[in-house]
Amino acid sequence: MKTQLIKLGLVFAMLGIFAVGGGTAVLPEMQHATVHWFSLTDRQFRDIYSLGQVAPGPNMSMVLVIGYRLLGAIGALVVGFAFFLPDCALTLAANRLWTRFEGSPWRLSVQRGMAPVAIGLMCAGTYAIARLTLASPITGVLNPLSIGIAVIITAILLWRHVNPGLLVLLSGTAYLLLTHW
Amino acid sequence: MPPSDIASESAAAASVVGLFDLFKLFFMAGALSFGGGVVAYEREYLVRDSKWLSDEDFLATLEISETLPGLNSINIAVIVGDNLRGIPGAIASVLGLMIPGVVIVMVLGVLWASNHHNPRINAFLLGIAASAVGMLTVVTLQLGRRQFTNLLDLAIVIVTFAATSIFKVPLAFVLFVLGPIAIFLYRPSASLPRSMTEELHMPFHRGEHHGKLRH
């Protein structure tokens, strides 16, 4: 238990610090680590990610539920501190050093170079959630209803901005009604 | 009122921002941002409601937040809190931002853990995951508009995606090998015309899409 907790803490501390371009960027690594090194299933990972979509605030707060599912309340606590604390400390330190790099031409190079890396990682994060959702994680059979919802939500949001919280609830309700009516 | 008076007034306002005021402002952003878009709420409260930051201040803060690792909404809380009230301010801001979501997601998590064989709950959550695929697709397309239309950028996007999703390369390798290569390709001496380097800034700074920023 204790070694599992330490391992879990180290994994999530690494994920927090590596989240270049936001939480989506580390979803593939997070899925891989929690499913292969711990006892989470792909479907549980997908369900917990969905819970994060329902709650307000930074939706990566769902990492606490991963900790809870794997190692109980203490697991949630360890994962929460490991994922968010080192990153906050890093940001605090960087904020105080930032002005020193204000005039450096390398700052623009870092921003220009890391932007496409961040977008590539976001594509990978989107792909990871799509693989878990648009086809069965177990049989690999495509799920037309999920695909339909994903396409409709994409089309709506490309057309205009709609409150995402509303779309989240509507999509969940639609899937429930269409499969359990 | 002449601009200088406005500036000194907002500076005076900043010097008396209380820790509880910081906590309260970020608590509201963390409690009301259902479905994501936390950054847009922070901007609304910090710039329009409280006037603690000018829009330029906010965009500068967002720029730093995006360059640093971690979630943008949390990085903004750390930086604004630190700039206004030092380390206690940063702590108050982050706690305010995180507490509502953490409490709600944990309540949902405990309920889910004892009901995760219920087919209706599974169906509801699967519908939500499907909507997330759509939202992530749109956010990625919008944030990456410039990267998808610039050849060198697009090549870096594709290599990063392929390395992560197809070849399952560890994230550390991507960040510490592909990252420095990408930065080197855009090194200061690289012969991009000056106007172009300014034009092709990070995608995230374009104002009109902040309302859709997640995390």
Side-chain angles (χ1 to χ4, degrees):
Chain A
M1 173 82 175
K2 206 174 163 193
T3 49
Q4 284 288 91
L5 271 177
I6 293 170
K7 208 169 124 190
L8 195 64
L10 288 175
V11 165
F12 274 90
M14 183 201 77
L15 289 170
I17 289 178
F18 285 179
V20 171
T24 310
V26 289
L27 286 175
E29 189 89 353
M30 190 184 292
Q31 182 200 356
H32 181 83
T34 51
V35 171
H36 290 265
W37 303 344
F38 298 92
S39 56
L40 210 67
T41 67
D42 281 331
R43 248 192 55 189
Q44 287 170 343
F45 182 83
R46 185 189 70 200
D47 283 355
I48 294 172
Y49 181 76
S50 298
L51 292 177
Q53 296 293 111
V54 181
N59 57 5
M60 295 306 283
S61 52
M62 63 87 180
V63 294
L64 275 89
V65 182
I66 295 181
Y68 176 76
R69 176 70 201 161
L70 291 174
L71 296 168
I74 182 88
L77 208 67
V78 165
V79 166
F81 277 104
F83 189 71
F84 295 109
L85 200 61
D87 168 53
C88 287
L90 192 72
T91 303
L92 192 74
N95 184 41
R96 293 171 171 225
L97 294 172
W98 190 260
T99 42
R100 287 195 198 174
F101 301 103
E102 197 89 61
S104 165
W106 279 97
R107 226 185 72 174
L108 188 64
S109 300
V110 170
Q111 289 182 347
R112 286 288 289 118
M114 288 311 283
V117 173
I119 296 295
L121 289 175
M122 286 185 71
C123 292
T126 306
Y127 179 72
I129 299 297
R131 272 191 62 150
L132 290 174
T133 307
L134 307 184
S136 161
I138 301 155
T139 61
V141 176
L142 287 178
N143 178 337
L145 191 50
S146 308
I147 295 173
I149 291 175
V151 169
I152 290 170
I153 296 294
T154 305
I156 290 175
L157 287 176
L158 285 177
W159 168 54
R160 56 178 300 171
H161 181 64
V162 179
N163 185 321
L166 190 68
L167 296 178
V168 166
L169 289 182
L170 281 177
S171 304
T173 309
Y175 198 98
L176 174 62
L177 290 180
L178 289 169
T179 52
H180 289 80
W181 191 244
Chain B
M1 197 187 289
S4 60
D5 285 4
I6 296 170
S8 62
E9 190 161 276
S10 69
S15 68
V16 294
V17 170
L19 287 178
F20 185 68
D21 294 325
L22 270 172
F23 178 85
K24 214 166 63 183
L25 184 142
F26 282 101
F27 186 92
M28 294 297 283
L32 297 178
S33 50
F34 283 95
V38 188
V39 172
Y41 283 81
E42 291 175 329
R43 184 183 200 176
E44 176 79 19
Y45 294 144
L46 287 167
V47 177
R48 271 180 231 156
D49 289 3
S50 71
K51 300 190 169 50
W52 293 343
L53 264 66
S54 69
D55 214 31
E56 292 72 40
D57 291 339
F58 185 84
L59 291 180
T61 306
L62 182 60
E63 181 184 329
I64 305 174
S65 302
E66 280 156 349
T67 311
L68 295 172
L71 281 60
N72 291 333
S73 59
I74 295 176
N75 289 349
I76 287 172
V78 171
I79 293 168
V80 171
D82 184 35
N83 289 349
L84 293 180
R85 286 299 304 267
I87 292 176
I91 294 171
S93 304
V94 172
L95 286 179
L97 183 68
M98 301 279 312
I99 284 172
V102 163
V103 169
I104 293 175
V105 86
M106 277 310 290
V107 169
L108 293 172
V110 171
L111 289 175
W112 167 80
S114 51
N115 290 290
H116 71 274
H117 295 299
N118 181 327
R120 283 164 207 277
I121 290 176
N122 292 339
F124 187 71
L125 291 177
L126 184 51
I128 290 171
S131 75
V133 173
M135 291 177 188
L136 291 173
T137 304
V138 173
V139 170
T140 306
L141 284 176
Q142 284 170 342
L143 289 181
R145 259 179 318 163
R146 276 157 201 280
Q147 280 66 36
F148 290 121
T149 49
N150 170 302
L151 222 59
L152 177 57
D153 276 344
L154 186 62
I156 299 172
V157 170
I158 291 171
V159 170
T160 306
F161 172 78
T164 308
S165 294
I166 299 170
F167 301 106
K168 312 282 182 202
V169 168
L171 184 56
F173 178 88
V174 172
L175 290 177
F176 295 121
V177 176
L178 293 184
I181 291 173
I183 294 168
F184 178 78
L185 290 172
Y186 283 110
R187 66 195 175 279
S189 56
S191 56
L192 282 176
R194 175 147 178 79
S195 63
M196 201 174 157
T197 43
E198 276 168 10
E199 175 66 18
L200 296 173
H201 222 233
M202 275 262 288
F204 306 99
H205 309 154
R206 308 285 147 179
E208 69 259 47
H209 288 302
H210 287 146
K212 289 159 190 165
L213 275 182
R214 300 155 56 76
H215 311 305

